[in-house]
Structures are given as C-alpha cells and as structure tokens.
Amino acid sequence: MNAFGTLVERYQKPIFNLMYRMVGSSDKAADLTQETFIRAYQKLERFHPGKKFFPWLYSIGLNLARDSARKKTWNPESVSTLNPESLSGCNSPGDQHDRMCESLEFLRLEKALDELPIIYREALILRYHDECSMRDIAAALNLSVSAAKMRVHRGLYMLREQYIRRNP
Amino acid sequence: MSRKKDPSDQPSRDSSAKLDNAAYENNENQDLLALQRLIYRMPDREAPAGLTESILSSLEPKTVPGWVRIYRWALRPRTVTFQPLKLVPAAMVLVLGLTIAFQFGPTPKDPGSMDPRQASLIPVTFTLSSPEAESVSLIGSFNQWNPAGHKMHQRGERNTWALELRLPEGRHEYAFLVDGKMVVPDQSSPFYQSDGFGNRNSVLFVSRDEPANI
C-alpha cells in the first residue's frame, strides 16, 4: 500500500461517519467517502505539507456532502444505533438493561445532533468525538479560530436545548 | 444527565436568589459535561468492508506537469557530505596551479608589462656631498618645487645623500634643500639658471641616449 493508501486507511472511518450523518444512507455515504478521497488525491498538489491532512480532507468531504445534499436523490435509511447483537454478550439482565439504556442515550443524542445546523453539529463532533484542536476545527470548517470556538460553545448549548426538549 | 428542574426542587422563598442561580448554573454545567462525554463515547459506524480497496482502485495514476517536478526538485532539501582526505588531491592541484601562475605569470616588475608612461621615463640618480646636513630634499620643476616631495637618503659613506628618480626626457631645473632651510645648487651640474630671486638652480638635460648620474 502506498502513502495515500495509508491515509485512506486511517481517515476513511471519520469521513464515512461524516457522510452518514449528512445523508443517512450507508451506500450513499460510502460513495461520498470514495469521492472525497478521489478529490483529495486530485488536489494533492494544493495541500500544504506543513499543515494537517485531516482538517483539509474533512473540508473537502463537507463541501462534497453539502453539494450532494442539495441535489438529494436517495432515501435515508431508518437505522438505529440500538443493535440487538450488542446485547447478546450480556451475562445478566442488569447488563442488558444498562446497555439498552446506553444505546437509547446514543439514539437520543443522534436525533438531537440531527436537529442542529450542520456547522454546529460538525464542530461538536470534531471537538468532542474526534478530539480535534480548535485550530484544526477552524481549518476543517473554513472558519477563524475564534469563530470555531464560538460554534463549539453555542453548539453545545443548542444541543442541550434539543436534548432536553426531546427528553423532558 | 440532569433534566429541567422539577418545580418541587425549587429552593424555598427563604433561599437567596444567588444560591438559586448558582444551583441552576451548576446543573447546566453538569448537563454540558455529560453531553461532551456522551459525544465522546458515541459509537462510530464501521465503513463498509473493502472501501479502502475500492477507493485505491479508482485512483488514476497522476501525470505531474514538468514545471511542478522542477519546482519540487528545486525545493527539495539536500545534504552535502565530503571526506577531507578526498579533498587532498584537489587541494594539491590548486596549490600547484597557483604556484605555476605566480612563477611564470606576468609580474608588475616585468618591463614587458610596465605602464607605457613608466617605460618612457629615464632613471636619474641625484647625489650631494654634505656630511654636516641633517636632512636633504630634492626640489625641482619635476615636483613643483615641493620640499616634502623627494627626501634624499644617506649612502654608505654617510656624507653623501642620494636619490634615484625616473624622469621624462627634456630639460629640468632643480636644487637641494638642506635641513629644510638652505637651497643649494648642484655643484656637479655644468648648467645653471637664475631663479630671479638671487639664487641659482641647476639645469639637467635628460636624454635616452645618455643615462644621467648627477
């Protein structure tokens, strides 16, 4: 595998998840993930070697996903993070209950995140899920660092409102 | 995670508004912290199997333009290494070349390379016998009678002052300035010329055919 193959291997998962959040379809998300890497490969000369690859790649993916969302031609799946297989390894009814509660929490979180504007949602995912620095978030979302901080801060409050509204 | 506060949880009327606000802010912060943790633990969806291979197989080989390759080549840092021992032959060749150049190359003293104006001058040696003098200068038409122009030097006999000059062909007037105050004409010169102030200047005719030793 060449150097670009290593990058594909390393970053395909967050890009696939970004696409899934944007389009809600595994097949479409896989297509968009592939398209993201192809575009990155074509534009590789424009990438500044001193900068981080992931924010640059994320930025390409986000633009692609937005373009695709405008001309929506697919049907979102109704997928739940409640995976029955994840409960099969539970030893006791207590474990099953805990896992089910956790899965429900994640499901509620996904729904609440879906309600947020994309830029707030992605800022939160990049910050708290992918553990990116504010500088990287700014690069990925084409914002200034101070604007990225504001998006994360406001996004978190907006998420809290959504979460509480859905789960009073 | 905490939810909106139950009205029954509200502090009594006796509690201060400050405490009420602090409790509310505390709940809010706990909510935000819990959300951050929940996002962190949110499970990722696995990318479909074979996605990497699919992506890599769809990449077409790139043809990099020539100017880009040259640009990259020019920007690529390089490390230069050398072994001092390997430089010895080169250093020897350089030293040999310089030696030959100095040995056989043209030198300023070589008549062939002399300035044509210098080559046309004729050497003339001026001498004055004055054992009691402390200093003697040669003044004349060739140095605009400048007393600091040509200082004479004592020769081995110690009572003879001498100076060699290169002068152009023609007629020159001159005299010796002894101890910076006394103008003395050259007793050995057969020709004199009055300076109009009661003194005599010696006259010298310089010719290529007859080198002068005054």
Side-chain angles (χ1 to χ4, degrees):
Chain A
M1 186 179 291
N2 58 19
F4 194 75
T6 310
L7 293 172
V8 172
E9 192 72 41
R10 185 169 175 185
Y11 296 120
Q12 63 168 300
K13 197 170 176 180
I15 296 297
F16 175 77
N17 277 272
L18 161 71
M19 295 309 179
Y20 190 88
R21 286 191 297 275
M22 295 292 285
V23 299
S25 155
S26 283
D27 290 344
K28 186 66 186 171
D31 289 347
L32 287 172
T33 303
Q34 180 163 334
E35 186 63 26
T36 301
F37 280 102
I38 290 170
R39 286 209 186 172
Y41 183 75
Q42 288 167 345
K43 295 180 180 178
L44 215 49
E45 283 74 33
R46 296 186 211 168
F47 172 66
H48 195 285
K51 297 200 170 178
K52 286 189 181 174
F53 183 74
F54 179 62
W56 182 72
L57 180 71
Y58 207 88
S59 171
I60 293 173
L62 199 56
N63 287 334
L64 197 63
R66 281 174 172 151
D67 288 348
S68 182
R70 274 188 217 116
K71 37 191 174 180
K72 189 175 175 181
T73 55
W74 69 96
N75 293 319
E77 296 160 6
S78 123
V79 177
S80 163
T81 46
L82 268 176
N83 184 0
E85 287 177 10
S86 68
L87 305 177
S88 60
C90 299
N91 296 326
S92 67
D95 280 350
Q96 284 196 2
H97 180 261
D98 288 348
R99 289 207 183 182
M100 189 169 283
C101 285
E102 190 176 50
S103 295
L104 279 170
E105 286 274 295
F106 290 137
L107 188 59
R108 287 176 192 140
L109 177 66
E110 278 189 1
K111 296 284 183 195
L113 282 168
D114 277 347
E115 296 294 322
L116 297 185
I118 292 167
I119 201 151
Y120 290 98
R121 182 184 71 204
E122 293 311 315
L124 289 176
I125 298 285
L126 285 169
R127 181 63 176 165
Y128 299 117
H129 188 67
D130 298 332
E131 298 181 279
C132 290
S133 68
M134 284 296 178
R135 190 182 291 271
D136 290 348
I137 295 170
L141 302 181
N142 290 319
L143 300 169
S144 66
V145 174
S146 57
K149 284 180 185 172
M150 196 199 70
R151 289 286 198 288
V152 171
H153 181 77
R154 287 189 60 186
L156 202 55
Y157 277 87
M158 290 162 75
L159 180 66
R160 179 176 176 270
E161 278 179 29
Q162 287 293 334
Y163 198 89
I164 290 172
R165 193 160 57 83
R166 288 182 157 272
N167 311 287
Chain B
M1 175 176 295
S2 61
R3 301 283 175 267
K4 275 182 178 176
K5 290 192 293 181
D6 193 314
S8 62
D9 294 339
Q10 292 289 338
S12 66
R13 287 185 177 186
D14 295 331
S15 303
S16 68
K18 196 175 176 181
L19 280 174
D20 188 23
N21 285 339
Y24 185 79
E25 281 174 13
N26 193 32
N27 280 343
E28 188 179 74
N29 287 339
Q30 283 180 2
D31 281 356
L32 297 178
L33 200 59
L35 279 172
Q36 289 174 24
R37 287 177 182 153
L38 200 58
I39 295 172
Y40 178 74
R41 290 189 293 114
M42 188 170 68
D44 277 323
R45 282 180 176 78
E46 290 299 326
L51 183 59
T52 304
E53 291 72 24
S54 171
I55 291 169
L56 293 178
S57 65
S58 61
L59 299 177
E60 292 176 4
K62 298 181 82 169
T63 52
V64 182
W67 69 268
V68 173
R69 273 182 283 177
I70 292 170
Y71 181 70
R72 286 180 186 166
W73 175 85
L75 283 185
R76 196 175 306 138
R78 287 169 178 77
T79 307
V80 178
T81 57
F82 73 95
Q83 292 173 293
L85 202 59
K86 287 189 176 176
L87 285 183
V88 169
M92 286 175 69
V93 168
L94 183 67
V95 169
L96 191 65
L98 288 173
T99 307
I100 290 169
F102 279 114
Q103 194 74 28
F104 300 104
T107 61
K109 288 184 179 176
D110 190 347
S113 66
M114 191 179 280
D115 183 354
R117 266 180 55 195
Q118 287 285 323
S120 68
L121 299 179
I122 296 157
V124 181
T125 304
F126 295 87
T127 56
L128 173 69
S129 178
S130 179
E132 66 280 6
E134 293 293 323
S135 69
V136 178
S137 296
L138 177 67
I139 55 177
S141 55
F142 40 79
N143 66 4
Q144 287 76 47
W145 305 94
N146 179 8
H150 293 111
K151 301 272 186 193
M152 298 183 77
H153 308 288
Q154 279 186 306
R155 273 191 171 169
E157 305 94 70
R158 294 198 57 80
N159 55 359
T160 302
W161 297 80
L163 180 68
E164 186 180 313
L165 288 183
R166 298 181 73 86
L167 296 175
E169 279 186 289
R171 181 178 179 279
H172 303 279
E173 290 184 28
Y174 68 98
F176 299 110
L177 182 65
V178 177
D179 293 337
K181 54 190 176 185
M182 190 166 59
V183 177
V184 176
D186 189 352
Q187 300 297 329
S188 62
S189 173
F191 304 104
Y192 292 94
Q193 172 75 46
S194 172
D195 65 355
F197 300 100
N199 293 321
R200 290 188 306 167
N201 295 328
S202 304
V203 176
L204 168 67
F205 294 95
V206 176
S207 167
R208 183 165 296 283
D209 301 330
E210 191 178 339
N213 191 6
I214 311 298

